Amino acid sequence: MITPGEPLASRPVPEGGSRVTIRIAGDSGDGIQLAGGRFAGATALAGNDLATLPDFPAEIRAPAGTLPGVSGYQIQFASTEVLTPGDRADVLVAFNPAALRVNLPDLRPGGVVIVNSTAFEDETGLRKAGYETNPLEDGSLDGYRVHPVAIGRLTREALADSGLGARQVERCKNFFALGLLSWMFARPLEPTLRWIERRFRDRPDLAEANRRALTAGYHFGDTARLFETPLEIPPAEVAAGVWRALDGNEAIALALATLAERSGLDVLLASYPITPASTVLHRTSRLEAFGVTTFQAEDEIGAVGAALGASFAGGLGVTTTSGPGLALKGEFLGLAVMTELPLVVIDIQRGGPSTGLPTRTEQADLLMALFGRHGEAPLPVLAPRSPGDCFWTVLEAARIALRSMTPVVVLSEGYLANGSEPFRVPGEDELPEIRPRRLSDPQRFEGTYVRDPETLARPWIAPGTPGLEHRIGGLEKDELGRVSYDPDNHERMVAARAAKIARIADDLPPAALEEGEPGDDLLVIGWGGTWGAITEAVRAERAAGRRVASLHLRHLNPLPRGLAELAGRFPRVLVAERNCGQLALLLRGRLGLDVESFTRVRGIPFVVAELRERIAAIVGGGVS
Amino acid sequence: MGRGPTRKEFATDQDVRWCPGCGDYAILASVQTAFAKLGVPREKFVVVSGIGCSSRFPYYMNTYGFHTLHGRAPGVATGIKLTRPDLSVWVVTGDGDALAIGAGHLLHALRRNVGIRILLFNNRIYGLTKGQASPTSETGKTTPSTPGGVADRPFRPVALALAAGATFVARSVDRFGAHLQEMIERAARHEGAALIEILQNCNIFNDGAFAEVTGRAGREENVLYLEHGRPLRFGPDGSRGLALDGAGGLVEVDPGQAPGRVLVHDERAPDSAVPDLLARLDAPVPLGVFRDVSAPALEQVLRERREAARRARDGGLAELLAGPNAWTVP
Ligand SMILES: Cc1ncc(C[n+]2csc(CCOP(=O)(O)OP(=O)(O)O)c2C)c(N)n1
Ligand code: SF4
Ligand SMILES: [Mg+2]
């Protein structure tokens, strides 16, 4: 609960609310992502639960002040569990007219707008945003609580004697705004000050300027009193332990270091830059000390080839990419299936096809991951549900790859990659054992494809092992590893490879409900990054008296056991996903389930309200 | 160094399936012989190939082997070498495999100077897919896919490798066993990437591919053996020589007339200007080492960095996972 609000002249959230959604928006050169990220960091440190949604244009610097150049960062934080970055903002900070225009539709009616009024003083800025008259004066913002703050001018004044040039001063605006937000929501400045210290170690002048802008914004909040007092959102009640803020791509990098450290394997991350996957490569390349080598290949094919070579050599190959890159890697995935080598392929999905919406989020690579190869080439597919879950999912993928000698695809997505949340840092004892099973004793060798009776995996033999020299490759082999064109052998081997993947399900937790109980009126099934939105919608509808349950899939192949039986206990099943019905197709085809679809492909996370509407329409009734 | 495996021990029990008379047989024999001379245990060799007749090679070598995808062997070999710098990693590839579908990978492997040895079997034809033109087929050659004759111009593999900055580039011929073995041994001992173009006959789809070199007369007239520190002389009794023409090219001179003008081969020259000119010659055909210079191998550079990072590491996994801004909830 929120600390009793003494007369808050202008509370940004409705009375009794203990959660706030803020969106900061400006030009892509305004440092919006940075300000957002720092605010999230301070909010995490303040102990709130949170979820974020960065949204930036595909162009590095679209023309300044234009609508396509607008960059935004949304964060929802609360004293209770936060599952999504929020459908609509309670507070919008707009750095310029374009940012106001693009983001106003996502502000809730009656919400607070803080505008950088300096940017509304000049005609061109208004015109670039398509405003004929100044929206601060023409009454078009009447339904909102508008606070013009001359962020540009105040920053300039604060830095008047800093000795910096006009452009550099201009670039400190984001810290002024961050200072203001920090006052409004009682966020401590220390973490940000520490961050400035580290970041500008080599530029004391910039460090000083940003520090000053930050504190100036903070003091401005205090003197100008946009609200009577800061709105305090006390810490959320969370499990004891060490916590940190974590985004999905950082989580993957940490998982790779954990993997190398825990398994003792040489991990090779071989990748080719592509949004939104590149930051995994950037971050992992700083983790050499933990036994991960990174290799930026000449293209995605060279990258997955190097990763597969690493696995053949007895290490663990990993490659990260996005949809277009996964398409290029397809032929190598076939080879990895054929040669039965461990390999972890991480696809950070974005809007497609083709270049599509490169900086936006989507879940439309599911069927490509499952089936986008020549020949019968089944492989396990997993999807994380939240930014922090990327850590656990990558470890799980590696466990399966090593245990079953198979390539594994992990389907993350832009929303998880860039979004952050509080993450409870696991202790050593909570990390899974990762024990690679390599064969080095020639006495125990029976044949390259003679399988382990339990996992059906073939032996993994690293080159350099005396007495076990052998050849593998794309041509079909018999059990002893000899090239074979025999029809019966091929049919046997196709079946054996499929059985090996199917058997992984023995090792997985059976299908289980997230919310609700068997016999409810509706089951909502989702996978991957929609977990937060689906859970929030289902909880809200249950609170409104509707009997709706949910189930979320981490394993898309093989599917958990008992899924068909469990789903069969509901009169109606709704599959919610951000594509045009790929999981629905799978569930109909694989399990014969009669499902309905809720799908959106707008490049943004689900709007919880829309999903709730659909649930309410199906279930009917309710008490709200 | 102890006694290494014998030549016979490098043979597998798989039936070799090349066409009788194919140049690949002779290359296989030379590789096995040369490997036996290296004194390296069999388990330390990895032979990686792409797709093509030539790329069946690993199945016939009793070492570790990986028959990969069309054109993609360099990436796989790179991953192996980065993971296990102690292994002797070889790539066997064809002219189509290396220079058409896999051209990008080949050039980047050479550019990076990763310690893999690439044997490029150049038969100037697509053997496995039954005789289509390849990127090294001569202009005008008729093949099933070019009934009107090849309309474009061929690559010169050695020139391409030099342009990519390769630190070791050589050329030999399937049938010249002793010479080929010497080149293989030298490539094996090179640090960083090494490429040998092996002129290979495909007696089914491109018979006599290099007759101008392999024929009795051709051998004497057309072959220029490159030997470090020796003058570039060829022809009967070395009666012809090569000199710089003063205009950025090579010119044939009579060594008897102008002995001082004949170029002396310098495979260790820091820049590859003369090797480039030699790589562009159609006649005479230079055989031997064009270039052999030393530069840090990628796998060594990365290993050293990793070791340095390990030594400088100031926290364990727990510190890494927590990061600099963690907080504790009691
Ligand atoms: C992706 C892909 N495309 C095409 C092929 C068909 N293919 C196999 S080998 C080959 C050309 C081989 O020529 P080369 O590399 O010169 O080898 P050679 O058979 O002459 O030794 C082609 C086109 C293939 N296997 N894979
Ligand atoms: S087709 Fe040519 S290259 Fe292929 S095996 Fe036969 S002779 Fe050799
Ligand atoms: Mg060929």
Side-chain angles (χ1 to χ4, degrees):
Chain A
M1 271 307 295
I2 149 172
T3 18
E6 280 328 294
L8 291 189
S10 174
R11 288 178 55 95
V13 287
E15 209 57 48
S18 62
R19 52 181 57 223
V20 182
T21 297
I22 297 177
R23 184 179 299 189
I24 314 171
D27 211 58
S28 49
D30 283 340
I32 299 300
Q33 300 304 323
L34 201 150
R38 291 300 97 217
F39 187 81
T43 297
L45 272 179
N48 292 139
D49 197 8
L50 66 93
T52 70
L53 177 64
D55 175 31
F56 37 83
E59 294 72 24
I60 300 300
R61 288 273 189 279
T66 61
L67 300 176
V70 172
S71 172
Y73 190 103
Q74 183 163 315
I75 171 173
Q76 174 165 219
F77 56 101
S79 318
T80 50
E81 194 173 8
V82 174
L83 295 163
T84 68
D87 282 3
R88 294 181 147 213
D90 301 300
V91 178
L92 168 65
V93 183
F95 274 58
N96 66 11
L100 179 68
R101 186 168 192 121
V102 168
N103 290 286
L104 198 60
D106 294 332
L107 185 65
R108 74 172 166 73
V112 174
V113 195
I114 296 171
V115 286
N116 170 20
S117 54
T118 316
F120 287 74
E121 285 162 10
D122 102 277
E123 288 279 314
T124 36
L126 292 170
R127 221 173 326 107
K128 276 193 201 157
Y131 282 120
E132 312 236 307
T133 55
N134 188 342
L136 303 186
E137 293 159 3
D138 65 9
S140 60
L141 299 177
D142 278 355
Y144 305 97
R145 285 173 291 158
V146 184
H147 296 283
V149 179
I151 297 176
R153 183 171 53 77
L154 291 165
T155 306
R156 280 201 295 277
E157 284 167 6
L159 301 182
D161 56 353
S162 67
L164 294 180
R167 281 191 53 180
Q168 276 167 324
V169 167
E170 186 67 15
R171 297 188 60 177
C172 295
K173 286 199 309 271
N174 56 344
F175 276 93
F176 183 96
L178 182 56
L180 176 57
L181 284 170
S182 302
W183 181 86
M184 285 170 61
F185 298 99
R187 308 285 89 159
L189 291 186
E190 287 69 40
T192 309
L193 290 169
R194 268 203 315 256
W195 183 89
I196 291 174
E197 192 73 44
R198 271 203 311 278
R199 174 67 207 276
F200 297 106
R201 196 175 296 139
D202 307 330
R203 286 296 304 269
D205 53 336
L206 293 185
E208 176 59 20
N210 283 310
R211 249 195 313 270
R212 273 211 253 160
L214 181 76
T215 37
Y218 192 87
H219 294 141
F220 177 82
D222 203 8
T223 21
R225 296 268 154 171
L226 300 191
F227 315 133
E228 290 290 286
T229 57
L231 177 71
E232 282 195 40
I233 307 267
E237 281 203 14
V238 294
V242 177
W243 287 77
R244 64 169 290 167
L246 189 61
D247 66 59
N249 279 3
E250 178 80 22
I252 293 172
L254 294 179
L256 298 183
T258 303
L259 200 54
E261 183 94 351
R262 298 281 295 182
S263 67
L265 289 172
D266 272 308
V267 173
L268 179 70
L269 172 67
S271 298
Y272 188 74
I274 184 170
T275 302
S278 304
T279 50
V280 178
L281 179 61
H282 304 172
R283 283 140 184 214
T284 309
S285 57
R286 298 179 173 197
L287 302 180
E288 283 168 311
F290 293 85
V292 199
T293 302
T294 54
F295 174 63
Q296 180 180 330
E298 60 277 11
D299 59 31
E300 281 87 349
I301 303 175
V304 64
L308 192 62
S311 291
F312 175 64
L316 179 63
V318 180
T319 185
T320 44
T321 189
S322 190
L326 186 63
L328 287 175
K329 293 178 197 290
E331 191 187 5
F332 254 118
L333 290 186
L335 182 65
V337 167
M338 197 63 161
T339 53
E340 304 192 40
L341 284 170
L343 179 72
V344 176
V345 180
I346 304 169
D347 170 13
I348 322 262
Q349 301 164 96
R350 62 190 211 180
S354 193
T355 309
L357 303 175
T359 59
R360 298 279 163 80
T361 199
E362 202 161 275
Q363 298 184 296
D365 294 349
L366 175 60
L367 294 181
M368 169 164 70
L370 287 167
F371 304 115
R373 286 171 294 285
H374 53 291
E376 294 292 351
L379 51 72
V381 177
L382 283 70
R385 54 170 58 186
S386 72
D389 190 42
C390 291
F391 177 82
W392 297 109
T393 305
V394 168
L395 290 183
E396 169 73 349
R399 183 191 70 81
I400 292 174
L402 292 166
R403 185 174 146 90
S404 297
M405 292 290 283
T406 177
V408 178
V409 175
V410 174
L411 292 175
S412 181
E413 55 172 290
Y415 164 55
L416 301 181
N418 297 320
S420 45
E421 66 175 356
F423 173 75
R424 197 177 61 78
V425 179
E428 298 260 336
D429 52 326
E430 295 170 271
L431 296 170
E433 279 288 341
I434 300 167
R435 247 176 305 116
R437 293 195 290 188
R438 274 196 318 232
L439 179 64
S440 57
D441 177 6
Q443 300 300 318
R444 292 183 40 225
F445 176 75
E446 294 169 76
T448 320
Y449 290 93
V450 173
R451 296 170 188 283
D452 177 283
E454 190 192 336
T455 61
L456 302 182
R458 77 173 186 88
W460 189 19
I461 304 158
T465 311
L468 287 175
E469 296 81 5
H470 67 285
R471 275 69 53 195
I472 59 170
L475 285 170
E476 185 66 279
K477 306 289 191 300
D478 65 15
E479 277 206 312
L480 299 181
R482 297 169 303 203
V483 174
S484 167
Y485 300 108
D486 176 59
D488 294 330
N489 177 69
H490 179 55
E491 196 159 59
R492 241 190 343 263
M493 291 300 267
V494 167
R497 288 187 286 265
K500 179 182 78 170
I501 303 304
R503 185 165 291 193
I504 293 168
D506 286 353
D507 221 29
L508 304 178
L513 298 179
E514 292 281 324
E515 305 291 330
E517 48 228 66
D520 279 343
D521 297 334
L522 173 69
L523 173 66
V524 182
I525 300 181
W527 65 279
T530 51
W531 171 75
I534 294 175
T535 305
E536 189 173 317
V538 167
R539 283 185 192 167
E541 288 305 314
R542 289 185 69 79
R546 296 197 173 84
R547 288 162 38 98
V548 51
S550 65
L551 182 154
H552 206 76
L553 293 171
R554 167 204 284 262
H555 291 272
L556 285 316
N557 194 45
L559 290 165
R561 298 234 193 277
L563 179 57
E565 296 72 12
L566 186 54
R569 298 175 66 179
F570 292 84
R572 289 174 79 171
V573 177
L574 178 69
V575 178
E577 50 188 331
R578 274 184 281 103
N579 55 47
C580 293
Q582 300 193 10
L583 178 63
L585 181 67
L586 188 78
L587 296 181
R588 285 188 201 108
R590 278 262 156 95
L591 305 180
L593 286 181
D594 179 15
V595 302
E596 301 162 57
S597 264
F598 174 82
T599 67
R600 299 304 320 248
V601 282
R602 301 178 61 234
I604 55 173
F606 276 149
V607 173
V608 174
E610 291 178 358
L611 184 54
R612 287 189 60 182
E613 248 171 57
R614 178 65 181 270
I615 293 170
I618 294 177
V619 178
V623 293
S624 68
Chain B
M1 199 179 296
R3 191 198 70 91
T6 64
R7 173 176 132 45
K8 281 226 177 69
E9 285 170 321
F10 278 106
T12 62
D13 53 6
Q14 283 257 328
D15 295 330
V16 182
R17 301 222 190 151
W18 290 310
C19 308
C22 173
D24 291 352
Y25 283 95
I27 304 176
L28 178 63
S30 284
V31 171
Q32 289 170 341
T33 306
F35 276 19
K37 286 193 202 154
L38 294 172
V40 174
R42 269 191 306 129
E43 70 270 13
K44 293 283 190 184
F45 287 98
V46 184
V47 184
V48 186
S49 66
I51 300 291
C53 293
S54 37
S55 287
R56 295 296 172 95
F57 206 89
Y59 292 121
Y60 311 136
M61 290 293 297
N62 194 3
T63 63
Y64 284 91
F66 200 165
H67 180 216
T68 71
L69 300 179
H70 196 23
R72 317 299 179 193
V76 176
T78 299
I80 295 170
K81 190 69 182 175
L82 292 185
T83 304
R84 290 288 303 273
D86 61 308
L87 299 174
S88 182
V89 182
W90 296 74
V91 168
V92 174
T93 178
D95 43 316
D97 195 65
L99 301 174
I101 192 165
H105 302 305
L106 178 80
L107 296 181
H108 286 281
L110 294 172
R111 168 180 77 79
R112 293 189 179 109
N113 203 36
V114 57
I116 60 179
R117 294 85 187 73
I118 301 165
L119 304 178
L120 196 170
F121 294 23
N122 182 7
N123 55 11
R124 294 184 154 177
I125 207 79
Y126 282 9
L128 192 68
T129 47
K130 300 197 190 306
Q132 299 86 352
S134 92
T136 54
S137 295
E138 313 87 298
T139 305
K141 184 195 210 78
T142 54
T143 75
S145 59
T146 58
V150 168
D152 49 23
R153 291 163 305 148
F155 270 147
R156 300 172 200 276
V158 169
L160 218 52
L162 290 169
T167 51
F168 181 98
V169 189
R171 181 190 282 147
S172 192
V173 181
D174 54 2
R175 293 211 212 161
F176 296 3
H179 185 263
L180 178 55
Q181 287 157 32
E182 188 197 328
M183 294 302 110
I184 294 169
E185 284 183 62
R186 286 202 52 189
R189 304 209 152 96
H190 178 71
E191 287 236 344
L195 179 132
I196 308 175
E197 179 192 10
I198 305 174
L199 309 183
Q200 178 234 323
N201 195 38
C202 165
N203 55 309
I204 301 298
F205 297 113
N206 196 19
D207 198 20
F210 294 97
E212 76 277 16
V213 175
T214 54
R216 192 179 297 274
R219 205 185 272 224
E220 197 159 318
E221 284 300 325
N222 292 325
V223 174
L224 165 65
Y225 283 102
L226 304 173
E227 288 170 87
H228 183 67
R230 307 284 286 278
L232 295 173
R233 290 171 65 162
F234 65 103
D237 301 321
S239 56
R240 304 156 74 184
L242 290 180
L244 291 174
D245 66 1
L250 290 173
V251 63
E252 192 180 322
V253 293
D254 179 348
Q257 299 277 313
R261 276 193 70 197
V262 177
L263 269 173
V264 172
H265 185 51
D266 180 7
E267 60 190 30
R268 295 175 210 151
D271 78 279
S272 64
V274 176
D276 275 338
L277 294 174
L278 292 169
R280 280 165 221 284
L281 285 176
D282 288 326
V285 178
L287 299 181
V289 177
F290 287 72
R291 188 163 201 243
D292 181 2
V293 295
S294 80
L298 180 68
E299 67 277 11
Q300 298 305 343
V301 175
L302 295 185
R303 269 299 138 118
E304 281 159 25
R305 283 198 195 162
R306 202 171 88 181
E307 291 321 309
R310 266 192 200 287
R311 284 191 302 272
R313 178 170 142 174
D314 61 355
L317 187 63
E319 286 77 14
L320 175 75
L321 295 183
N325 289 317
W327 66 94
T328 302
V329 176

